[in-house]
């Protein structure tokens, strides 16, 4: 199972959906960070941020563009076999681009603390308390085997918050249907240079830079 809900609810794996009209599409680009590489220190150091953004995220963007170009050619030729064979690359690199684009905005040098307003009320309703939510998402993220992400998402059908763990770069919404609000990257490239293999220390630190304004804004948008 590539992506699982913390509530143990299971969903079947899906192929990446067709990417629309690829003939006239514009290439994906690496988004600028809304802060300097050193802005999240001491919690996440500048070297990690620079490599993570300018190398790892950039690689997902570049590889996604290559895969989409090949998909466009296969689509024009009616080559279904090649279209199917490109699905893993589209999912991995497309997911990597989606996930990291969310991740950068989920962080802020002015972050930390606790959310306010409707988001806080929803967290209390669905998890009992903020402390309980934080503990559950931390434990879920620590427990990701290998590489992946821990997420807070919104279940639009049920009108409630849920946490989920996704393997590799599986995008939350594309594989579970949950709308992503907060993502925590637990690939080693997100923390190894500073925290070595001690993932729990990284997860303890990252709460100090969570941008609750951004998470709250995502929550308000997805409820509309």
């Amino acid at each position: 199972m590539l992506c699982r809900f913390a509530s143990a609810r299971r969903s079947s794996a899906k192929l990446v959906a067709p990417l629309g009209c690829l003939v006239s599409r514009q290439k994906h680009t690496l988004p600028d960070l809304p802060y300097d590489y050193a802005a999240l220190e001491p919690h996440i150091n500048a070297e990690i941020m620079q490599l993570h953004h300018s190398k790892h995220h950039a690689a997902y963007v570049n590889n996604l563009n290559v895969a989409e170009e090949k998909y466009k050619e296969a689509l024009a030729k009616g080559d279904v076999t090649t279209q199917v064979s490109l699905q893993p690359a589209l999912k991995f690199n497309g997911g990597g681009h989606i996930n990291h684009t969310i991740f950068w905005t989920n962080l802020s040098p002015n972050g930390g603390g606790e959310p306010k307003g409707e988001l806080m009320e929803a967290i209390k309703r669905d998890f009992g308390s903020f402390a309980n939510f934080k503990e559950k998402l931390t434990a879920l993220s620590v427990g990701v085997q290998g590489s992946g992400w821990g997420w807070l998402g919104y279940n639009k059908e049920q009108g409630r918050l849920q946490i989920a763990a996704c393997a590799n770069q599986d995008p939350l919404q594309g594989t579970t249907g949950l709308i992503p609000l907060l993502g925590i990257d637990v690939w080693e490239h997100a923390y190894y240079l500073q925290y070595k293999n001690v993932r729990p220390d990284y997860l303890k630190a990252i709460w100090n830079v969570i941008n609750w304004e951004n998470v709250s804004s995502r929550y308000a948008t997805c409820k509309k």
Side-chain angles (χ1 to χ4, degrees):
M1 186 84 181
L2 295 178
C3 194
R4 62 185 176 87
F5 290 110
S7 60
R9 174 187 170 208
R10 298 178 178 273
S11 61
S12 59
K14 302 175 183 177
L15 286 177
V16 175
L19 299 177
C21 183
L22 294 174
V23 175
S24 59
R25 74 169 184 87
Q26 294 182 336
K27 288 189 174 183
H28 302 283
T29 57
L30 180 68
D32 292 332
L33 289 186
Y35 38 76
D36 294 332
Y37 287 136
L40 303 183
E41 291 187 340
H43 310 293
I44 305 176
N45 69 36
E47 184 180 14
I48 287 175
M49 292 299 297
Q50 183 173 11
L51 288 170
H52 199 172
H53 176 257
S54 68
K55 300 299 182 183
H56 292 281
H57 189 174
Y60 297 129
V61 171
N62 294 336
N63 291 333
L64 177 59
N65 284 325
V66 170
E68 285 191 350
E69 189 64 30
K70 291 179 179 178
Y71 190 91
K72 181 183 74 173
E73 294 171 0
L75 199 64
K77 295 176 182 178
D79 184 353
V80 178
T81 298
T82 298
Q83 291 173 45
V84 172
S85 71
L86 286 167
Q87 292 292 321
L90 291 169
K91 183 177 183 181
F92 181 77
N93 294 293
H97 182 36
I98 291 169
N99 294 341
H100 285 87
T101 299
I102 295 168
F103 183 61
W104 307 132
T105 63
N106 278 169
L107 305 177
S108 169
N110 300 313
E114 299 181 357
K116 300 176 181 179
E118 289 188 0
L119 177 60
M120 182 58 129
E121 292 306 310
I123 287 174
K124 289 179 179 178
R125 178 195 67 209
D126 296 329
F127 298 99
S129 67
F130 177 75
N132 195 43
F133 154 71
K134 182 177 175 181
E135 180 182 350
K136 285 182 178 295
L137 183 54
T138 297
L140 187 72
S141 302
V142 168
V144 171
Q145 294 183 348
S147 301
W149 292 73
W151 288 98
L152 171 66
Y154 180 66
N155 187 320
K156 202 169 185 68
E157 290 183 2
Q158 298 180 15
R160 67 186 186 94
L161 301 175
Q162 288 181 247
I163 57 174
C166 288
N168 301 314
Q169 294 297 350
D170 291 0
L172 182 69
Q173 190 166 5
T175 50
T176 70
L178 295 178
I179 300 172
L181 304 178
L182 169 64
I184 299 178
D185 189 349
V186 291
W187 279 66
E188 283 195 343
H189 64 233
Y191 61 88
Y192 193 85
L193 290 176
Q194 185 171 359
Y195 295 99
K196 305 309 179 196
N197 64 335
V198 189
R199 185 185 288 178
D201 286 355
Y202 158 68
L203 287 164
K204 181 179 179 181
I206 202 169
W207 290 104
N208 294 302
V209 289
I210 297 298
N211 183 354
W212 290 114
E213 288 187 8
N214 178 263
V215 181
S216 295
S217 176
R218 291 179 182 277
Y219 177 62
T221 298
C222 73
K223 286 182 63 185
K224 294 178 181 178

